[in-house]
Amino acid sequence: FSYQISSHTNLKMKFSLAAIATLAVLPSQAIAETFLKEQFNDGKWSDRWTVASNWKSASEMGKWEPTVGKWHGSDESDMGLQTTEDARFYGLSAKLDKPLINSGKTTVIQYTVKHEQKLDCGGAYIKLLPGGDKLDALSFGGDTPYAIMFGPDMCGSTKRTHVILNSEKKDENVMIKKDIMCETDQLSHLYTLVLSPDNTFEVFVDNKSVRTGSLEKEFPFLPDKEIKDPDVSKPEDWVDQREIEDPESAKPAGYDEIPADIPDPDAVKPDDWDSEEDGEWEPPMVDNPEYEGPWSPKMIPNPDYKGAWKHPMIDNPEYADDDKLYEVCGGSGCTHIGFELWQVKSGTIFDDIIITDSLEEAQKFAEETFFAKKDGEKEMWDAAEAERKAAEPEPDYGGDDDDDEEMDDDDGEEFDMGDEF
């Protein structure tokens, strides 16, 4: 197993300790910290996780259930947590083992998602939350402040992997400018987000880098570095009309009298045409080959054309460089992780969650979990699909034959009846 890491030079390299080391800006960051690791296997997940029972009414909230899934690559003890009721909201959160204060640290969120139900509309993203002891887990929902929202979301033609980060200076959440596609099949997929202290980010899906870049360039954290000079406007005598009418172009005499349609010169009155009954015969109309449409004067290059006017740009006085955009958890840190979802069709399974400051640590966890089960799950899925297709009734192509037989019988009865007469 190896991660493919894409750098700003667009190089692809195998995931290694040397590559991981480049992600750590501070040399002193030697020991990885893990803030949460969840596999839902011990039967005590409900002691660690709180259902947001006060977020919506009971009739609107769906139930979470542990399951190994219909197809999997492990034994029956390896559980994930599944949504179980259609057209419901799902709210669930857990406290981190310790606050994540990501100043000077890499932040890694990683988890697996499996849409066993072939989801057509619903979310499967995860949120990293601040709040500490003030966070009301029972009321956790869509309006609860968050630091990071990451993961797949789809409805109809919209299929994206969300990356939304909190901007403390703007006091709002900012979404990545260009969508990242998400996986849409019915197998497990591994989603990994890395925020680095050099103000860069990277998203992996199933160990493949699908997006990397600068937080400043890829997210609307900061105002533009340059703005249009407010003291300058386009001169009134600026000519930006590329062509003008030819002053020597004149409409030909009689041009407006040329009809668009004319009687078809090749049409001939039918021999059986009866003028008394059918009226006076008129040939059909056809396009006039001499008609050239409404007349317009010839256009020529404008001798006074100066080109498109460009507004002069100046430095934006409101712009200020910020080398701490990645510090989305703020000074008090992030303290909880949670799911706040709406699903039209339930059945999504979440598993193998890790929150850490080390991509190497996330890699090791993925090797032990997702990648250890991946091939076995695919084999089980293939077998289930083969069984499902084998059980499907074969298409009925015999309807026409039955109809033909009935027609033959009818024909025979008609023939016999004719003989009687």
Side-chain angles (χ1 to χ4, degrees):
F1 162 72
S2 60
Y3 272 91
Q4 297 290 328
I5 297 184
S6 59
S7 68
H8 298 301
T9 58
N10 294 322
L11 295 176
K12 294 286 183 178
M13 62 188 74
K14 288 291 184 179
F15 196 87
S16 64
L17 292 178
I20 298 164
T22 64
L23 296 174
V25 172
L26 298 181
S28 60
Q29 186 180 338
I31 300 176
E33 287 190 274
T34 297
F35 302 90
L36 180 137
K37 187 182 288 187
E38 178 64 79
Q39 295 177 263
F40 303 106
N41 292 340
D42 60 2
K44 298 180 180 180
W45 69 270
S46 59
D47 295 338
R48 298 183 296 272
W49 293 77
T50 302
V51 174
S53 56
N54 292 342
W55 176 30
K56 302 283 184 180
S57 66
S59 61
E60 295 177 284
M61 297 295 292
K63 294 181 180 179
W64 299 87
E65 293 290 347
T67 179
V68 69
K70 298 176 182 177
W71 41 88
H72 53 86
S74 60
D75 59 39
E76 297 294 327
S77 66
D78 193 332
M79 298 289 185
L81 208 57
Q82 185 175 44
T83 59
T84 63
E85 297 178 273
D86 294 347
R88 293 290 189 274
F89 292 95
Y90 291 87
L92 190 71
S93 65
K95 192 172 184 179
L96 303 183
D97 296 339
K98 50 188 170 182
L100 192 169
I101 300 174
N102 67 333
S103 177
K105 288 186 175 183
T106 297
T107 302
V108 182
I109 298 176
Q110 180 173 279
Y111 71 118
T112 64
V113 177
K114 177 168 62 167
H115 297 306
E116 279 198 343
Q117 77 279 41
K118 196 171 180 60
L119 182 66
D120 54 359
C121 187
Y125 43 81
I126 196 167
K127 288 183 173 181
L128 186 61
L129 313 166
D133 294 336
K134 295 181 180 180
L135 180 72
D136 184 357
L138 293 175
S139 300
F140 166 56
D143 294 331
T144 303
Y146 62 86
I148 298 175
M149 174 172 156
F150 169 63
D153 187 19
M154 64 180 77
C155 198
S157 60
T158 301
K159 298 174 176 63
R160 62 163 66 102
T161 300
H162 279 302
V163 185
I164 305 177
L165 308 174
N166 180 258
S167 171
E168 188 174 5
K169 286 187 176 181
K170 296 181 75 170
D171 192 25
E172 64 182 50
N173 300 317
V174 294
M175 180 185 292
I176 194 168
K177 295 178 181 178
K178 185 179 178 181
D179 278 353
I180 302 171
M181 297 301 292
C182 65
E183 299 295 329
T184 60
D185 60 30
Q186 293 170 264
L187 297 171
S188 294
H189 291 284
L190 182 74
Y191 289 85
T192 308
L193 171 65
V194 182
L195 295 185
S196 299
D198 60 354
N199 267 353
T200 62
F201 76 99
E202 190 152 16
V203 175
F204 299 88
V205 178
D206 295 347
N207 90 310
K208 296 179 181 178
S209 177
V210 295
R211 183 68 56 78
T212 183
S214 161
L215 291 177
E216 180 176 346
K217 293 180 180 178
E218 301 290 336
F219 294 80
F221 274 104
L222 304 176
D224 295 333
K225 286 186 176 182
E226 293 185 324
I227 59 173
K228 294 178 179 178
D229 188 341
D231 297 327
V232 178
S233 58
K234 185 172 73 172
E236 294 183 1
D237 60 350
W238 186 274
V239 179
D240 53 11
Q241 186 176 355
R242 188 182 296 272
E243 293 183 323
I244 59 173
E245 296 179 0
D246 186 351
E248 298 182 1
S249 178
K251 184 192 298 184
Y255 188 92
D256 291 340
E257 280 71 47
I258 300 175
D261 301 315
I262 59 172
D264 187 349
D266 298 326
V268 178
K269 183 171 72 173
D271 294 337
D272 58 351
W273 187 273
D274 189 329
S275 299
E276 293 183 359
E277 293 185 5
D278 301 328
E280 183 180 353
W281 180 82
E282 294 182 357
M285 304 297 286
V286 296
D287 293 339
N288 185 356
E290 297 182 2
Y291 179 72
E292 298 180 0
W295 184 83
S296 59
K298 178 183 176 181
M299 303 299 290
I300 60 173
N302 186 351
D304 297 324
Y305 175 67
K306 295 183 178 180
W309 184 76
K310 295 182 180 179
H311 203 128
M313 306 294 288
I314 62 171
D315 291 339
N316 185 355
E318 296 183 2
Y319 173 83
D321 188 25
D322 187 347
D323 61 358
K324 298 187 182 300
L325 299 177
Y326 72 97
E327 292 186 7
V328 294
C329 286
S332 300
C334 290
T335 56
H336 291 73
I337 198 79
F339 297 99
E340 167 271 307
L341 312 170
W342 161 261
Q343 290 197 334
V344 174
K345 192 175 181 182
S346 63
T348 300
I349 299 176
F350 301 92
D351 202 1
D352 302 330
I353 307 168
I354 184 170
I355 311 299
T356 179
D357 61 6
S358 166
L359 188 52
E360 180 187 6
E361 192 68 20
Q363 175 209 13
K364 290 179 180 178
F365 188 57
E367 289 175 342
E368 297 166 359
T369 55
F370 175 75
F371 288 99
K373 299 179 283 187
K374 182 174 179 288
D375 293 341
E377 180 185 299
K378 181 61 165 59
E379 291 175 5
M380 197 170 181
W381 156 258
D382 289 341
E385 275 295 278
E387 184 178 346
R388 180 187 66 80
K389 292 179 180 178
E392 289 181 348
E394 294 185 5
D396 183 9
Y397 299 113
D400 293 341
D401 293 340
D402 294 341
D403 292 343
D404 291 343
E405 290 178 3
E406 292 178 4
M407 291 178 64
D408 291 342
D409 292 342
D410 292 343
D411 291 345
E413 291 174 3
E414 292 176 359
F415 180 80
D416 291 340
M417 188 174 293
D419 285 346
E420 290 178 4
F421 284 94

